[in-house]
Amino acid sequence: MSASAPAGTDSSAPHGHPEEGFFRKYLWSTDHKIIAMQYLLTGMAMALIGGFTVYAFRMQVAFPGESVPGFGQVTPGAYNALVTSHGTVMIFWVAMPVLIAAFGNYLIPLMIGCDDMVFPRLNRLSYQIFLLSAVVFIATFFVDGGAFGGAWTAYPPLSTKPEYSLTPLGAPLWLIAVALEFVAFLIGGINFVTTVMNSRAPGMKMFDVPIVVWMIIAASILFMASIGPLIAGAMMMLMDQLAGTHFYDPTQGGDPVLWQHLFWFFGHPEVYVVLFPALGIVAEVITVFARKKLFAYKTVLYTAIGTCVLSFFVWAHHQFVAGIDPRMANVFSVTTLLISVPIAEMLFVFIATLYGGSIRLATPMLWALAFLVEFLLGGVTGIFLGASAADIYFHDTYFVVAHFHYTFFPIAFIAVFAGLTYWFPKMFGRMMNETLGKIHFWGTVIPFNFIFIPLFITGASGDHRRIYNYNHFPDLARPELQDLRVLATVALVVLLAFQLVFLVNFFWSMRKGRKAEANPWKANTLEWAAASPPPHGNFAELPTVYRGPYEYSVPDRPDDYWPQHMPG
């Protein structure tokens, strides 16, 4: 059966793939698993860049004017470029490629029981465009004037006038890189949705699809639905930069706030674009390591759909200080608080799944539990910012930075570590080292809290974000707050150092780790019916599905799991 064969068709037809040479297998591959690894490794490489940039500018904040080891003197222009690059890389070149493209490419065909994506060449093209976007972005560091320094939100006129940003080439190249990345994900999203709709294994009904697959599909559709206005806005910005137009220039009849509307109309749904795959990963891990059926499976799906719709009605809470009509501010305050309800409901569904379970605290489960705790802290602190009166004070302070990282770090890193440690045996046929895994876990989660809890305090005390040197502002340069800035920076250095433990564990275990059993976690989903690692084509014989993915601890069964493809 081909990858594009619809659900319910005969699976006995041959679907083998010829042996490929090195070039076609690794550099020009159409195998969804190789493409997933390419996305994953590219995302990991970009995370190193993002980690180095935050190290450099946080050292400048903690020890202003001193030479940063490994970087040198941080000038004001370099500081702006570092802050901009950190935010851009972590959102567009780490979170999205790893959570959506890497996990989506790897898991979707395996978990729905087909041999590949329905459009394998289009899948390859999506990665090639993504790689080009990363190359263009990295090139901004080496052009005249350096990398773009207008912040990752690219507000005009800073982003449109080179005499303001001082990056005449970096600004348009940054915009082109982001645009290319969007094209790559639009192509990939079409592939994901079409594959799930048309290539499910015989017997797999819509509600037999694992929740992580549904979440990646929801994220892909949400991305496709929200990106259009930003693409239009980006074209206008590029014309302002290069063609002398004035869409965002108020002195020539333009409106800089227009960009804020176009950006955040995409930017807030984007939060859920990366959140949904993270929630799906956490759900899969929790059910396996609690040996419990996922509580309220259908409710989670309907809640995700409702969240997608509601996410289009909250964007202007980013603009409470941009001159918004107070009557509209009230509307967006209400919708912002409302959207916390479905997200909280999904998290409490996961907690209900844990209740009464036979919980095993393996490394993937530790990451999943940490996600629940840290993300809930991020959600609670977001309530302050959703209220327009409170946001007037907190806006553009480190309180916002801390809140954002308490939501985004669990999404982009904690959930990713949960997924990588869980599916590592499937990807490489070997087990990661549990001791190193737990050292990495504690060495990440503890410093993370020591970074951002102090920033909540400094932000609530009035610390503005993106300040190059607080000594330039006597009212802000308070010694008691400087101690907290130093504490946050030292904790950051500790957290970054512990990521070396993960890298050693990951790459060492890939070659030398203990060989994994066929189904080491005793899970039910279809990917564990394939060999580890799966060959091109995935399954020796495409499976048939008999039940849902979460039948754990079923009474009167000798085993506490019941794989989807096992009859009876």
Side-chain angles (χ1 to χ4, degrees), residues 346-554:
M346 284 192 274
L347 294 178
F348 283 109
V349 161
F350 297 161
I351 294 171
T353 303
L354 292 169
Y355 181 76
S358 179
I359 295 173
R360 178 188 167 200
L361 294 177
T363 302
M365 186 61 156
L366 290 175
W367 288 113
L369 297 177
F371 175 91
L372 297 180
V373 174
E374 307 292 2
F375 190 82
L376 279 170
L377 285 170
V380 168
T381 54
I383 294 173
F384 297 93
L385 305 176
S388 57
D391 184 69
I392 291 171
Y393 176 80
F394 287 120
H395 188 82
D396 262 346
T397 69
Y398 268 99
F399 190 95
V400 177
V401 175
H403 154 72
F404 178 77
H405 282 82
Y406 261 101
T407 56
F408 201 80
F409 188 88
I411 292 170
F413 289 94
I414 293 179
V416 165
F417 289 136
L420 287 179
T421 52
Y422 175 66
W423 279 295
F424 188 91
K426 175 52 54 185
M427 293 175 176
F428 304 108
R430 295 182 181 273
M431 303 296 292
M432 293 187 77
N433 183 282
E434 274 286 298
T435 301
L436 290 178
K438 289 176 179 175
I439 290 171
H440 172 236
F441 170 78
W442 291 112
T444 299
V445 170
I446 293 174
F448 167 71
N449 289 284
F450 274 92
I451 296 169
F452 293 106
I453 289 176
L455 296 188
F456 275 127
I457 299 170
T458 65
S461 301
D463 257 11
H464 288 272
R465 64 194 299 191
R466 304 190 186 116
I467 297 293
Y468 164 69
N469 187 339
Y470 283 96
N471 293 328
H472 295 168
F473 303 90
D475 290 341
L476 295 178
R478 289 170 286 181
E480 68 277 12
L481 295 186
Q482 187 62 24
D483 291 341
L484 292 175
R485 297 168 196 144
V486 172
L487 173 61
T489 303
V490 170
L492 170 72
V493 173
V494 173
L495 183 147
L496 292 175
F498 271 96
Q499 303 321 299
L500 296 175
V501 177
F502 170 77
L503 292 174
V504 168
N505 193 9
F506 185 88
F507 289 106
W508 181 86
S509 298
M510 191 188 300
R511 308 285 294 198
K512 301 290 186 180
R514 176 172 58 86
K515 287 192 175 181
E517 304 170 29
N519 188 356
W521 310 123
K522 303 294 185 285
N524 289 343
T525 43
L526 288 182
E527 74 270 27
W528 301 105
S532 298
H536 195 178
N538 296 338
F539 302 94
E541 182 177 346
L542 295 182
T544 299
V545 170
Y546 298 95
R547 64 193 61 83
Y550 304 116
E551 298 298 326
Y552 293 102
S553 302
V554 176

Side-chain angles (χ1 to χ4, degrees), residues 30-325:
T30 57
D31 184 350
H32 70 98
K33 300 178 294 299
I34 299 298
I35 294 169
M37 289 298 107
Q38 290 171 330
Y39 270 114
L40 175 62
L41 295 174
T42 306
M44 290 170 66
M46 296 300 284
L48 296 176
I49 296 174
F52 182 74
T53 56
V54 70
Y55 156 77
F57 77 72
R58 281 303 311 178
M59 289 291 284
Q60 163 62 26
V61 171
F63 309 104
E66 297 185 19
S67 181
V68 176
F71 184 87
Q73 199 74 31
V74 179
T75 64
Y79 178 85
N80 287 338
L82 290 167
V83 171
T84 303
S85 299
H86 171 70
T88 306
V89 163
M90 290 305 188
I91 292 170
F92 296 128
W93 280 281
V94 177
M96 289 183 67
V98 174
L99 280 163
I100 301 174
F103 281 111
N105 265 297
Y106 197 89
L107 295 177
I108 286 175
L110 285 166
M111 296 187 94
I112 67 172
C114 69
D115 59 353
D116 211 322
M117 293 291 180
V118 292
F119 304 123
R121 290 182 180 85
L122 202 61
N123 203 22
R124 178 181 67 202
L125 178 64
S126 72
Y127 173 73
Q128 291 168 335
I129 295 173
F130 171 75
L131 182 61
L132 177 61
S133 76
V135 171
V136 172
F137 174 79
I138 293 170
T140 64
F141 290 96
F142 303 101
V143 297
D144 186 34
F148 177 49
W152 78 275
T153 53
Y155 281 3
L158 189 61
S159 57
T160 54
K161 292 183 177 293
E163 60 266 31
Y164 293 164
S165 69
L166 305 178
T167 53
L169 294 177
L173 283 175
W174 178 92
L175 201 58
I176 291 168
V178 173
L180 287 170
E181 194 250 7
F182 288 166
V183 171
F185 282 95
L186 283 170
I187 294 172
I190 292 168
N191 222 345
F192 292 169
V193 175
T194 310
T195 300
V196 173
M197 292 301 104
N198 292 282
S199 292
R200 299 188 309 280
M204 179 173 275
K205 304 178 182 68
M206 298 294 281
F207 291 127
D208 293 333
V209 175
I211 204 75
V212 67
V213 174
W214 276 129
M215 289 297 190
I216 293 171
I217 294 304
S220 300
I221 294 173
L222 184 57
F223 179 81
M224 290 187 280
S226 62
I227 194 60
L230 183 60
I231 291 175
M235 289 300 299
M236 290 189 288
M237 179 174 284
L238 196 62
M239 292 171 69
D240 274 14
Q241 291 172 343
L242 301 178
T245 57
H246 305 286
F247 291 106
Y248 302 118
D249 186 351
T251 65
Q252 302 294 326
D255 184 3
V257 178
L258 172 61
W259 168 261
Q260 295 188 30
H261 283 290
L262 297 173
F263 181 89
W264 289 116
F265 185 82
F266 159 78
H268 209 83
E270 167 68 7
V271 173
Y272 304 101
V273 168
V274 291
L275 171 62
F276 284 160
L279 289 173
I281 290 168
V282 170
E284 298 296 330
V285 172
I286 282 176
T287 55
V288 169
F289 290 96
R291 316 310 291 170
K292 283 278 299 294
K293 187 170 186 173
L294 180 65
F295 187 84
Y297 170 98
K298 291 184 180 179
T299 302
V300 171
L301 292 184
Y302 299 144
T303 301
I305 294 169
T307 304
C308 288
V309 174
L310 194 55
S311 71
F312 288 100
F313 299 94
V314 300
W315 81 89
H317 67 225
H318 295 275
Q319 298 169 255
F320 285 153
V321 298
I324 189 172
D325 187 316

Side-chain angles (χ1 to χ4, degrees), residues 313 316 319-320 323-335 388:
F313 299 94
Q319 298 169 255
F320 285 153
I324 189 172
D325 187 316
R327 291 166 295 183
M328 288 306 296
N330 291 338
V331 171
F332 283 100
S333 288
V334 171
T335 56
S388 57

